[in-house]
Amino acid sequence: MNELTPESLELVRDHTVYACVMGSRAFGLATEASDTDRRGVYLAPTPLFWRFEKPPMHVEGPREEQFSWELERFCELALRANPNILECLHSPLVERVTPVGEELLSLRGAFLSRRAHTSFSRYAASQHTKLVADVRIHGAPRWKHAMHLLRLLLSCRDLLRTGRLTIGAGPHRDRLLAVRRGELSWAEVDSWMARLSQETEAALSTTPLPESPDHARVADFLHRARSASAAASVAS
């Protein structure tokens, strides 16, 4: 974990352009024991990049379960279709948004592409491997993790089918919560996962998503945000 320095604290406190709540609360799957996972994006003032020591690309804290990315790093990861990053842009629980943040949100569609199939599927496969190991060693998976993997698979399948990313559990909420409580057998859960993976593969052949994200549009946004920051520092 990176040490929270006065500079990194200032970046999160004074330069956050977008902040939201993620995790179970954003997915509609929270219980009384659920944490509040906060995610954010900050725009480091452009003059900080004119030094040998660059500003941090991410900051953990200052609150519990809080993590923020510098705008450029966030955009890089979103262009790669990182599942956690893309989902941040679709949280229904927005806590802070500036004009720069509003423009970032307006770019949600520019980040979406068929690359999501690869990134989501790879992440899902790694999580499934961990669940299988838990079953082999302990006789059961971590049911909370199984629930979240199912939700991710549902989200990926529907993204490929519709071209829109939806992170909420929606009509699957009750069954997903039943998984969390361990009310379905591992065989039932694993079968559901396998079926969703097959449906996702089938959706890829007819998806409305473009082959690649709109890199030029995102690059233009980042350039203008950096330029405005530089101009503001000169004016002050």
Side-chain angles (χ1 to χ4, degrees), residues 113-127:
S113 72
R114 296 183 188 185
R115 292 179 184 178
H117 171 260
T118 300
S119 61
F120 277 65
S121 296
R122 284 179 178 173
Y123 181 77
S126 69
Q127 295 303 304

Side-chain angles (χ1 to χ4, degrees), residues 205-224:
S205 62
T206 58
T207 183
L209 289 173
E211 193 69 35
S212 302
D214 194 339
H215 192 283
R217 187 177 166 198
V218 176
D220 175 69
F221 158 67
L222 184 61
H223 182 271
R224 286 185 288 101

Side-chain angles (χ1 to χ4, degrees), residues 83-142:
N84 293 322
I85 298 294
L86 290 181
E87 290 190 333
C88 279
L89 291 172
H90 294 77
S91 173
L93 305 177
V94 176
E95 295 191 321
R96 181 179 180 182
V97 60
T98 69
V100 172
E102 290 282 5
E103 187 167 1
L104 175 64
L105 291 178
S106 76
L107 291 172
R108 283 182 290 202
F111 292 112
L112 297 178
S113 72
R114 296 183 188 185
R115 292 179 184 178
H117 171 260
T118 300
S119 61
F120 277 65
S121 296
R122 284 179 178 173
Y123 181 77
S126 69
Q127 295 303 304
H128 184 263
T129 298
K130 294 177 182 178
L131 291 172
V132 170
D134 285 337
V135 173
R136 184 177 65 251
I137 297 170
H138 305 294
R142 299 179 185 181

